[in-house]
Amino acid sequence: MTSPTASTPPTPKGTGTIVDNRSPRHSRMLGVGAYRPERVVMNSEIVDKIDSSDEWIRERSGIVSRHFAADDESVIDMAEHASRQALEHAGITPDQIGFVLVATVTHPYQTPAAAPELAYRLGSTAPAVDISAACAGYCYGVAMASDMVKAGSADYVLVVGVEKLSDFTDPYDRGSAFIFGDGAGACVIGPSDTPGIGPTVWGTDGAQRDAISQRQAWTEVRESWKDAQADKAVWPNIGMAGQSVFRWAVWGMAPVAQQAIDAAGITAADLDAFIPHQANIRIIDAMVKQLKLPADIPVARDIVTTANTSAASVPLATARMLAEGEVASGGLALQIGFGAGLAYAAQVVVLP
């Protein structure tokens, strides 16, 4: 990834300041990093197994391509790449990390978590845990890290969103096979003299837990493997009720995003960027319309080339927008993640 300072970015508007009067000290995002696997998978590689077409996928989701990790490339491998970039951008060393949070639902081990091994690879012995909040996981991590820094329990927190969804996607499922991609994004959150992360608006709607879910519990998979007469081996792919999720995201998430703007004490006109979860181009466009965002505000639409990378989508887009000079360091960005659970989280941040 090109350094976020490599190109000449626009100048932040400078008209809005995040409001936060509740904490003894403040927090902010100090650096970001991103990793996209080398293999690019075009829609043409997906369509035959789902009896579809490139045109249908583009019209339905906006997706043209996605990245798939190599067979021997793990969630931890990708997280390490993104984390080292974030640490370098933040200007801190691994021994300064006070906590590691890894948001993922595709680390293939129930235990141990991915975070402790990531910390070890980076040369840190900091406490480290995984967050299982699917597409909202990174924004959950930002909220938790911000609170840690504000409270003084950690000076620097590494937050990673990483997924290898290609391992858990049914290539024959017409409703989901084309949606997912792989990748990792990371940020470092540390202390600040001024507020750099606004209050988080977050929550869950557990009544809709089946809208996006692993199709079988691991205990059920075990039983299917015991059945020698089973027609085929069952693998716990991720399934999604697309229309239900679409309606929930379009009508439920714009109000959450607006609440995050209000909680930060700013207006939509103060924003320098909108970085939503990359679930569907139509969802993004609908949210922009409902929020009445000014036409000149850059909006992340990375889904076109990365597809839905779940917890990795927001940090991947953030790092790209900074690297390409689409947004300015010091600008205000509204970020929101939403997905399985159903879980959601939104906050306004000052970009590193």
Side-chain angles (χ1 to χ4, degrees), residues 2-4 7-10 36 302 318-327:
T2 306
S3 168
S7 52
T8 303
R36 294 170 182 80
D302 294 54
T318 302
R320 180 199 60 77
M321 294 177 84
L322 284 166
E324 295 181 0
E326 188 174 350
V327 295

Side-chain angles (χ1 to χ4, degrees), residues 88-294:
E88 181 179 1
H89 187 203
I92 71 165
T93 55
D95 62 291
Q96 292 177 274
I97 299 172
F99 212 104
V100 177
L101 295 169
V102 175
T104 185
V105 292
T106 51
H107 179 52
Y109 292 89
Q110 191 82 28
T111 192
E117 183 175 344
L118 173 62
Y120 170 74
R121 289 193 188 185
L122 294 173
S124 170
T125 58
V129 295
D130 288 0
I131 302 170
S132 179
C135 308
Y138 172 76
C139 292
Y140 268 53
V142 169
M144 295 164 67
S146 176
D147 287 347
M148 288 180 189
V149 171
K150 289 177 180 179
S153 57
D155 285 333
Y156 299 99
V157 180
L158 174 65
V159 181
V160 183
V162 57
E163 303 289 6
K164 190 179 180 183
L165 284 154
S166 57
D167 273 349
F168 294 90
T169 299
D170 181 351
Y172 297 95
D173 181 3
R174 196 168 192 265
S176 65
F178 62 92
I179 291 175
F180 300 117
D182 302 338
C187 76
V188 174
I189 292 175
S192 172
D193 293 334
T194 58
I197 299 175
T200 297
V201 178
W202 48 354
T204 60
D205 182 6
Q208 299 193 67
R209 66 169 299 279
D210 292 332
I212 311 172
S213 66
Q214 182 175 305
R215 288 174 173 164
Q216 283 188 304
W218 290 111
T219 49
E220 292 173 340
V221 174
R222 178 189 63 198
E223 294 306 313
S224 73
W225 285 344
K226 288 181 179 178
D227 184 2
Q229 305 304 315
D231 292 334
K232 60 181 180 179
V234 178
W235 180 247
N237 298 302
I238 295 173
M240 181 165 62
Q243 288 302 312
S244 296
V245 175
F246 183 86
R247 288 191 296 269
W248 173 75
V250 167
W251 301 110
M253 293 301 97
V256 170
Q258 184 61 56
Q259 290 174 42
I261 293 173
D262 296 341
I266 64 169
T267 68
D270 296 320
L271 291 171
D272 293 281
F274 177 42
I275 310 176
H277 168 50
Q278 303 296 297
N280 185 296
I281 198 74
R282 294 184 296 160
I283 292 174
I284 295 170
D285 291 342
M287 291 180 70
V288 169
K289 184 177 180 180
Q290 289 185 56
L291 289 169
K292 297 181 173 61
L293 297 182

Side-chain angles (χ1 to χ4, degrees), residues 33-79:
Y35 176 77
R36 294 170 182 80
E38 182 177 349
R39 183 186 171 199
V40 176
V41 178
M42 306 300 294
N43 288 339
S44 57
E45 292 190 46
I46 306 289
V47 295
D48 288 345
K49 292 180 179 179
I50 58 174
D51 188 25
S52 185
S53 68
D54 175 60
E55 293 76 16
W56 184 86
I57 293 174
R58 291 187 189 214
E59 180 181 352
R60 187 178 180 88
S61 66
I63 298 169
V64 175
S65 63
R66 73 285 291 149
H67 294 255
F68 278 0
D71 290 343
D72 61 350
E73 193 170 29
S74 72
V75 161
I76 300 169
D77 293 332
M78 293 189 287

